[in-house]
């Protein structure tokens, strides 16, 4: 099958960003913003340093869980990624507001996180409605596991039913990247089931003690294994 795009999240240093691309990754994901909202979030200035320091072929993804487009606009004025990943409560930013962001920053692509609940049948979730609602304003969908009590989407390390991913992918023309508990052991099977545009890893390519680390949090051995498993699927 066609090569899948490999996206590695939680980048906090230029060195980690360059390592991911050197090993064969394509997208680097950085969470940043002026207002601190998530544990590993960087300042806009630090994100800018990473985006400017990574290899030019890298696709730079900026993640926000903010739901106020004015707050997001202020962040984008400081550092503009290639792709803005909206990962807060999906109902917090309506499709017309997403379009407004695209109007303000021509050329900015949007990656909309799609929340999938683990252990809940597809017909009991709003997933397919979200796909319909956000298709027109999204360049990518990031299909991720949503913890039941969480406001934001993803960064759980939890898996969900890959048949739901497949149903989403088969229903839309938007490029879909699958996420949620993927590692070197299960990513090949997930690719075979879903035939995605790309795969994403955050939690399971981190060091075990990443929360105690202020700088680099990506474990080179885990990143390498994940990328190789994805390439060889």
């Amino acid at each position: 099958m066609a090569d899948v795009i490999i996206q590695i999240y939680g980048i906090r240093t230029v060195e980690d960003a360059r390592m991911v691309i050197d090993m064969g990754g394509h997208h680097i994901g950085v969470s940043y913003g002026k207002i601190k909202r998530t544990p590993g979030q960087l300042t806009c200035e630090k994100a800018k340093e990473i985006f400017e320091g990574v290899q030019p072929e890298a696709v730079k993804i900026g993640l926000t869980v903010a739901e106020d487009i004015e707050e997001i606009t202020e962040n984008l004025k400081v550092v503009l990624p290639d792709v803005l990943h909206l990962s807060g409560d999906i109902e917090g930013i309506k499709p017309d507001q997403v379009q407004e962001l695209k109007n303000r920053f021509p050329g900015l692509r949007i990656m909309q996180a799609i929340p999938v609940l683990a252990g809940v049948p597809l017909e009991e979730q709003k997933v397919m409605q979200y796909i319909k609602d956000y298709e027109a304003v999204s360049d990518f969908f990031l299909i991720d596991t949503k913890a039941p009590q969480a406001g934001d989407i993803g960064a759980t390390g939890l898996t969900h039913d890959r048949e739901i991913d497949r149903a989403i992918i088969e229903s839309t023309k938007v490029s879909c990247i699958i996420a949620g508990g993927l590692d070197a052991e299960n990513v090949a099977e997930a690719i075979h089931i879903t035939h995605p545009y790309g795969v994403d890893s955050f939690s399971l390519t981190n060091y075990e003690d990443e929360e105690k680390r202020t700088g680099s949090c990506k474990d080179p051995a885990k990143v390498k294994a994940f990328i190789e498993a994805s390439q060889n699927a």
Side-chain angles (χ1 to χ4, degrees):
M1 63 180 292
D3 291 343
V4 296
I5 293 298
I6 299 164
Q7 176 169 292
I8 302 291
Y9 243 104
I11 303 296
R12 294 183 201 158
T13 64
V14 172
E15 292 74 22
D16 276 2
R18 295 188 66 85
M19 173 186 75
V20 165
I21 302 303
D22 277 341
M23 287 182 175
H26 306 96
H27 291 191
I28 57 152
V30 177
S31 171
Y32 69 92
K34 292 182 181 180
I35 299 172
K36 182 84 167 174
R37 295 192 176 277
T38 56
Q41 183 181 308
L42 305 182
T43 63
C44 294
E45 291 69 28
K46 182 66 180 172
K48 189 170 188 179
E49 179 189 320
I50 293 169
F51 287 163
E52 290 177 351
V54 74
Q55 296 92 323
E57 67 269 24
V59 176
K60 300 176 280 290
I61 316 284
L63 178 145
T64 183
V65 299
E67 292 161 21
D68 175 359
I69 66 168
E70 301 308 327
E71 178 185 332
I72 294 168
T73 295
E74 290 308 305
N75 293 332
L76 294 176
K77 284 178 181 173
V78 181
V79 54
L80 190 66
D82 298 317
V83 181
L84 173 64
H85 178 181
L86 297 171
S87 198
D89 179 350
I90 188 167
E91 296 181 11
I93 303 181
K94 302 299 183 202
D96 61 326
Q97 294 176 296
V98 179
Q99 185 59 52
E100 176 59 26
L101 283 170
K102 296 186 87 163
N103 296 345
R104 291 179 185 182
F105 298 93
L108 177 67
R109 289 175 284 168
I110 296 291
M111 179 182 293
Q112 176 62 59
I114 300 294
V116 177
L117 299 170
V120 178
L122 178 58
E123 57 273 15
E124 293 176 26
Q125 303 196 43
K126 295 171 75 174
V127 172
M128 300 312 271
Q129 187 60 50
Y130 292 145
I131 296 295
K132 288 192 185 73
D133 292 346
Y134 287 84
E135 252 178 341
V137 294
S138 299
D139 300 277
F140 305 92
F141 286 137
L142 191 283
I143 309 169
D144 209 343
T145 313
K146 183 177 184 295
Q149 307 308 321
D152 57 349
I153 303 162
T156 62
L158 302 172
T159 58
H160 58 264
D161 183 354
R162 295 295 163 200
E163 293 294 345
I164 292 179
D165 292 1
R166 184 162 81 169
I168 293 170
I169 290 165
E170 289 176 354
S171 77
T172 183
K173 291 187 172 64
V174 175
S175 297
C176 293
I177 297 175
I178 60 171
L182 292 177
D183 61 16
E185 302 300 315
N186 63 17
V187 70
E189 183 188 15
I191 290 169
H192 286 295
I193 292 170
T194 64
H195 302 288
Y197 172 78
V199 293
D200 169 280
S201 175
F202 167 53
S203 307
L204 299 178
T205 46
N206 285 344
Y207 287 111
E208 297 292 339
D209 62 346
E210 65 95 0
E211 288 175 9
K212 298 190 186 75
R213 292 169 177 265
T214 52
S216 169
C217 67
K218 305 311 294 186
D219 183 326
K222 290 181 183 176
V223 172
K224 186 169 189 285
F226 180 79
I227 289 174
E228 288 180 352
S230 303
Q231 290 169 334
N232 296 327

